[in-house]
Coordinates of all heavy atoms in Angstrom, one line a residue:
W8 N 0.9 -1.2 0.0 CA 0.0 0.0 0.0 C 0.9 1.3 0.0 O 0.7 2.2 -0.7 CB -0.9 0.0 1.2 CG -1.6 1.3 1.4 CD1 -2.7 1.7 0.8 CD2 -1.4 2.2 2.4 NE1 -3.2 2.9 1.3 CE2 -2.3 3.3 2.3 CE3 -0.3 2.5 3.4 CZ2 -2.3 4.4 3.1 CZ3 -0.3 3.6 4.1 CH2 -1.3 4.5 3.9
V9 N 1.9 1.2 0.8 CA 2.9 2.4 0.8 C 3.5 2.6 -0.5 O 3.5 3.8 -1.0 CB 3.9 2.3 2.0 CG1 4.9 3.4 2.0 CG2 3.3 2.0 3.3
R10 N 4.0 1.5 -1.1 CA 4.7 1.7 -2.5 C 3.7 2.2 -3.5 O 4.0 3.0 -4.4 CB 5.2 0.3 -2.8 CG 6.6 0.0 -2.2 CD 7.2 -1.2 -2.9 NE 6.5 -2.4 -2.5 CZ 7.0 -3.2 -1.5 NH1 7.9 -2.8 -0.7 NH2 6.3 -4.3 -1.2
T11 N 2.4 1.7 -3.3 CA 1.4 2.3 -4.4 C 1.1 3.7 -4.3 O 1.1 4.4 -5.2 CB 0.0 1.5 -4.1 OG1 0.2 0.1 -4.2 CG2 -1.0 2.0 -5.1
I12 N 1.2 4.2 -3.0 CA 0.9 5.6 -2.8 C 2.1 6.5 -3.3 O 1.9 7.4 -4.1 CB 0.9 6.0 -1.3 CG1 -0.5 5.5 -0.8 CG2 0.9 7.5 -1.1 CD1 -1.7 6.1 -1.3
F13 N 3.3 6.0 -3.2 CA 4.5 6.7 -3.6 C 4.8 6.5 -5.1 O 5.5 7.3 -5.7 CB 5.8 6.4 -2.8 CG 5.7 7.0 -1.5 CD1 5.4 6.4 -0.3 CD2 6.1 8.4 -1.4 CE1 5.2 7.0 0.9 CE2 6.1 9.0 -0.1 CZ 5.7 8.3 1.0
A14 N 4.1 5.5 -5.7 CA 4.3 5.3 -7.1 C 3.5 6.3 -7.9 O 3.7 6.6 -9.1 CB 3.9 3.9 -7.5
I15 N 2.4 6.8 -7.3 CA 1.6 7.8 -8.0 C 2.2 9.2 -8.1 O 2.8 9.6 -7.2 CB 0.2 7.9 -7.2 CG1 -0.5 6.6 -7.1 CG2 -0.7 9.0 -7.9 CD1 -1.7 6.6 -6.3
S16 N 2.2 9.8 -9.3 CA 2.8 11.1 -9.4 C 1.9 12.0 -10.2 O 0.9 11.7 -10.7 CB 4.1 10.9 -10.2 OG 3.9 10.3 -11.5
G17 N 2.3 13.3 -10.1 CA 1.6 14.4 -10.8 C 0.3 14.7 -10.3 O 0.0 14.5 -9.1
V18 N -0.5 15.3 -11.1 CA -1.8 15.9 -10.6 C -2.7 14.7 -10.1 O -3.5 15.0 -9.2 CB -2.5 16.7 -11.7 CG1 -3.9 17.2 -11.3 CG2 -1.6 17.9 -12.2
A19 N -2.6 13.6 -10.6 CA -3.5 12.5 -10.2 C -3.2 12.2 -8.7 O -4.1 11.9 -8.0 CB -3.2 11.2 -11.0
S20 N -1.9 12.3 -8.3 CA -1.6 12.1 -6.9 C -2.2 13.2 -6.1 O -2.8 12.9 -5.0 CB -0.1 12.1 -6.7 OG 0.2 12.1 -5.3
F21 N -2.3 14.4 -6.5 CA -2.9 15.5 -5.8 C -4.4 15.2 -5.7 O -5.0 15.4 -4.6 CB -2.7 16.8 -6.6 CG -3.6 17.9 -5.9 CD1 -3.1 18.6 -4.8 CD2 -4.8 18.3 -6.4 CE1 -3.8 19.6 -4.3 CE2 -5.6 19.3 -5.8 CZ -5.0 20.0 -4.8
G22 N -5.1 14.8 -6.7 CA -6.5 14.4 -6.6 C -6.8 13.3 -5.6 O -7.7 13.4 -4.8
L23 N -5.8 12.4 -5.4 CA -6.0 11.3 -4.5 C -5.9 11.9 -3.1 O -6.7 11.6 -2.2 CB -5.0 10.2 -4.7 CG -4.9 9.1 -3.6 CD1 -6.3 8.3 -3.7 CD2 -3.8 8.2 -3.9
M24 N -4.9 12.7 -2.8 CA -4.7 13.3 -1.5 C -5.9 14.2 -1.2 O -6.4 14.2 -0.1 CB -3.4 14.2 -1.4 CG -2.2 13.4 -1.7 SD -1.9 11.9 -0.6 CE -1.7 12.9 0.9
A25 N -6.4 15.0 -2.2 CA -7.5 15.9 -1.9 C -8.8 15.1 -1.4 O -9.4 15.6 -0.6 CB -7.8 16.7 -3.1
D26 N -9.0 13.9 -2.1 CA -10.1 13.1 -1.8 C -10.1 12.5 -0.4 O -11.1 12.2 0.2 CB -10.3 12.0 -2.8 CG -10.6 12.4 -4.1 OD1 -11.1 13.6 -4.3 OD2 -10.4 11.6 -5.0
T27 N -8.9 12.6 0.3 CA -8.9 12.0 1.6 C -9.2 13.1 2.7 O -9.2 12.8 3.9 CB -7.4 11.5 1.9 OG1 -6.4 12.6 1.8 CG2 -7.0 10.5 0.9
L28 N -9.3 14.3 2.3 CA -9.6 15.4 3.2 C -11.0 15.3 3.8 O -11.9 14.6 3.2 CB -9.4 16.8 2.6 CG -7.9 17.1 2.3 CD1 -7.8 18.4 1.5 CD2 -7.0 17.1 3.5
P29 N -11.3 15.9 4.9 CA -12.7 15.9 5.5 C -13.7 16.3 4.5 O -13.5 17.1 3.6 CB -12.6 16.8 6.8 CG -11.1 16.7 7.1 CD -10.4 16.6 5.8
P30 N -15.0 15.9 4.7 CA -16.0 16.3 3.8 C -16.2 17.8 3.8 O -16.1 18.5 4.8 CB -17.3 15.6 4.4 CG -16.8 14.4 5.1 CD -15.5 14.9 5.7
L31 N -16.7 18.3 2.7 CA -16.9 19.7 2.4 C -18.4 20.1 2.8 O -19.3 19.3 2.5 CB -16.6 20.1 1.0 CG -15.3 20.7 0.6 CD1 -15.1 20.8 -0.9 CD2 -15.0 21.9 1.4
V32 N -18.6 21.3 3.3 CA -19.9 21.9 3.5 C -20.1 22.7 2.2 O -19.3 23.5 1.8 CB -20.0 22.8 4.7 CG1 -21.4 23.5 4.8 CG2 -19.6 22.0 6.0
A33 N -21.2 22.5 1.5 CA -21.5 23.2 0.2 C -21.6 24.6 0.5 O -21.9 25.1 1.5 CB -22.8 22.6 -0.3
W34 N -21.0 25.4 -0.6 CA -20.9 26.9 -0.4 C -21.4 27.6 -1.7 O -21.0 27.1 -2.8 CB -19.5 27.3 -0.1 CG -19.4 28.8 0.1 CD1 -19.7 29.6 1.1 CD2 -18.9 29.7 -0.9 NE1 -19.5 30.9 0.8 CE2 -18.9 31.0 -0.5 CE3 -18.4 29.5 -2.2 CZ2 -18.5 32.1 -1.1 CZ3 -17.9 30.6 -3.0 CH2 -18.0 31.9 -2.4
Q35 N -22.1 28.7 -1.6 CA -22.4 29.6 -2.6 C -22.4 30.9 -2.0 O -22.8 31.1 -0.9 CB -23.7 29.3 -3.2 CG -23.7 28.2 -4.3 CD -25.0 28.0 -5.0 OE1 -26.1 28.2 -4.4 NE2 -25.0 27.8 -6.3
G36 N -21.9 32.0 -2.7 CA -21.9 33.3 -2.1 C -22.0 34.5 -3.1 O -21.7 34.2 -4.3
Q37 N -22.4 35.5 -2.7 CA -22.5 36.7 -3.6 C -21.2 37.0 -4.2 O -21.1 37.6 -5.3 CB -23.1 37.9 -2.7 CG -23.3 39.2 -3.5 CD -24.6 39.2 -4.4 OE1 -25.4 38.2 -4.1 NE2 -24.7 40.0 -5.3
S38 N -20.1 36.7 -3.5 CA -18.8 37.1 -4.0 C -18.4 36.4 -5.3 O -17.5 36.8 -6.0 CB -17.7 36.8 -2.9 OG -17.6 35.4 -2.6
E39 N -19.1 35.3 -5.6 CA -18.9 34.6 -6.9 C -19.1 35.5 -8.0 O -18.4 35.2 -9.2 CB -19.7 33.4 -7.0 CG -19.3 32.3 -6.0 CD -20.2 31.1 -6.0 OE1 -21.4 31.2 -5.6 OE2 -19.7 30.0 -6.4
Q40 N -19.8 36.5 -8.0 CA -20.1 37.5 -9.0 C -18.9 38.4 -9.3 O -18.8 39.1 -10.3 CB -21.3 38.4 -8.8 CG -22.6 37.6 -8.5 CD -23.8 38.5 -8.2 OE1 -23.8 39.7 -8.4 NE2 -24.9 37.9 -7.8
L41 N -17.9 38.3 -8.5 CA -16.7 39.1 -8.7 C -15.8 38.5 -9.8 O -14.9 39.2 -10.4 CB -15.8 39.2 -7.4 CG -16.5 39.9 -6.2 CD1 -15.7 39.6 -4.9 CD2 -16.5 41.4 -6.5
M42 N -16.0 37.3 -10.1 CA -15.1 36.6 -11.1 C -15.5 37.0 -12.5 O -16.6 37.3 -12.8 CB -15.3 35.1 -11.0 CG -14.7 34.5 -9.7 SD -14.9 32.7 -9.6 CE -14.0 32.2 -11.1
Q43 N -14.4 37.2 -13.3 CA -14.6 37.4 -14.7 C -14.3 36.2 -15.5 O -13.6 35.2 -15.0 CB -13.7 38.6 -15.1 CG -14.1 39.9 -14.5 CD -13.5 41.1 -15.2 OE1 -12.8 41.0 -16.2 NE2 -13.8 42.3 -14.6
T44 N -14.8 36.2 -16.7 CA -14.6 35.0 -17.6 C -13.5 35.2 -18.6 O -13.0 36.2 -18.8 CB -16.0 34.7 -18.3 OG1 -16.2 35.7 -19.2 CG2 -17.1 34.7 -17.3
E45 N -13.3 34.1 -19.4 CA -12.3 34.0 -20.3 C -12.5 35.2 -21.5 O -11.6 35.7 -22.1 CB -12.3 32.7 -21.0 CG -11.2 32.4 -22.0 CD -11.3 31.0 -22.6 OE1 -12.2 30.3 -22.2 OE2 -10.4 30.7 -23.4
A46 N -13.8 35.6 -21.6 CA -14.1 36.6 -22.6 C -13.6 38.0 -22.2 O -13.5 38.9 -23.1 CB -15.6 36.7 -22.8
S47 N -13.2 38.2 -21.0 CA -12.9 39.5 -20.5 C -11.4 39.8 -20.9 O -10.6 38.9 -20.7 CB -13.1 39.6 -19.0 OG -12.4 40.8 -18.5
T48 N -11.2 41.0 -21.2 CA -9.8 41.4 -21.6 C -8.8 41.2 -20.4 O -7.7 40.9 -20.5 CB -9.7 42.8 -22.1 OG1 -10.6 43.0 -23.2 CG2 -8.3 43.3 -22.5
W49 N -9.3 41.5 -19.2 CA -8.5 41.6 -18.0 C -8.7 40.4 -17.0 O -8.4 40.5 -15.9 CB -8.7 42.9 -17.3 CG -8.2 44.1 -18.2 CD1 -8.9 44.9 -18.9 CD2 -6.8 44.4 -18.3 NE1 -8.1 45.8 -19.5 CE2 -6.9 45.5 -19.2 CE3 -5.6 43.9 -17.9 CZ2 -5.7 46.0 -19.7 CZ3 -4.4 44.5 -18.3 CH2 -4.5 45.6 -19.2
V50 N -9.3 39.3 -17.5 CA -9.4 38.2 -16.7 C -8.0 37.7 -16.2 O -7.0 37.8 -16.9 CB -10.0 37.0 -17.5 CG1 -9.2 36.6 -18.7 CG2 -10.4 35.8 -16.5
T51 N -7.9 37.4 -14.9 CA -6.6 37.1 -14.3 C -6.3 35.6 -14.6 O -7.2 34.8 -15.0 CB -6.6 37.2 -12.8 OG1 -7.5 36.3 -12.2 CG2 -7.0 38.6 -12.4
P52 N -5.0 35.2 -14.6 CA -4.6 33.8 -14.9 C -5.3 32.8 -13.9 O -5.7 31.8 -14.4 CB -3.1 33.9 -14.6 CG -2.7 35.2 -14.9 CD -3.8 36.1 -14.4
A53 N -5.5 33.2 -12.7 CA -6.3 32.3 -11.8 C -7.7 32.1 -12.2 O -8.3 31.0 -12.1 CB -6.1 32.7 -10.4
E54 N -8.4 33.2 -12.7 CA -9.8 33.1 -13.1 C -9.9 32.2 -14.2 O -11.0 31.6 -14.5 CB -10.3 34.5 -13.3 CG -10.5 35.3 -12.1 CD -10.9 36.7 -12.4 OE1 -10.1 37.4 -13.1 OE2 -12.0 37.2 -11.9
L55 N -8.9 32.1 -15.1 CA -9.0 31.2 -16.3 C -9.2 29.7 -15.9 O -9.7 28.9 -16.6 CB -7.7 31.4 -17.1 CG -7.6 32.7 -17.9 CD1 -6.3 32.8 -18.6 CD2 -8.7 32.8 -19.0

């Protein structure tokens, strides 16, 4: 089992680790309207 964990690499490994975290509480907020889309000239790299 240990060897299997360390054999995984890249983003797939991140996905596995993220899935082991505690359950999420669903969230929605007014602040989501702050985001701009790919169509915007000044969309930030993170927003992409």
